[in-house]
Amino acid sequence: MKIEDVRRTAYSMPLTNPSFPPGPYHFFDREYFIITYRTDPEALAAIVPEPLEVAEPVVKYEFIRMPDSTGFGDYTETGQVIPVRFKGELGAYTHAMYLDDEGPIAGGRELWGFPKKLARPKIEVESDVLVGSLHYGSVLCASATMGYKHRKVDHDVVLQSMTAPNFILKIIPHVDGSPRICELVRFHLEDITLKEAWTGPAALGLFPHALCDVARLPVREVVSALHFKADLTLGLGSVAFDYMAK
């Protein structure tokens, strides 16, 4: 293969058999189960990187079911998203993500810098309860429950939250192990069609694990719960801040 062929075709690894196709990436019937909870301000301050600022001492614990997505297929993920400010603008910082599919793990880390790790999250309806769980191997790390479709939620409120900017810390090391890319990436959800949105009583438990540290941000009080479905496009990102710039 010629040098110019490598330059022309390279966008992911392996070069001749990438783990995911080029975008854009569209999602159909994407299902969210989000529990917002209060946590320790000191714990948040220890993990949210400057120049982001913690907006309030809350965390959004998210389960997301993706039954139909272009390029990435059928998978489920879960993780913690933190409300933040960047230059005075409200947004959300993705702190941790766990999912069960190789393609979006590779694509998420390489393209945007999503902090994705392999695990076993699930969303399912058990009788009158919506249930979310996260197992890392055989160990239960998160358990969430919500009354199934108890009350409708105003679509405008949900859409406003979905259009806010999102931030991720993208880290790619040099061959000697030192950081080569260390950037705060900004991205948006696009072309959103919200299909339904519900709330109800909810509970969340997070349990300590050496390699799945969701319990580092402990649950002090459940504030609210949200369950909704939407079609959308996951927009590619831009660099909001370069930690390596002189």
Side-chain angles (χ1 to χ4, degrees), residues 6 41-42 49 74 93-94 96 123 126 133 139 142 158 170 175 180 231 236:
V6 174
E42 296 82 4
D74 179 350
Y93 172 65
T94 303
I123 301 176
E126 296 182 1
S133 62
V139 179
V158 179
K170 182 175 183 176
V175 292
R180 184 167 187 173
D231 297 342
L236 295 175

Side-chain angles (χ1 to χ4, degrees), residues 48-53 184 241 243:
V48 174
E50 292 182 338
L52 297 178
E53 300 174 346
L184 188 66
F241 184 82
Y243 292 86

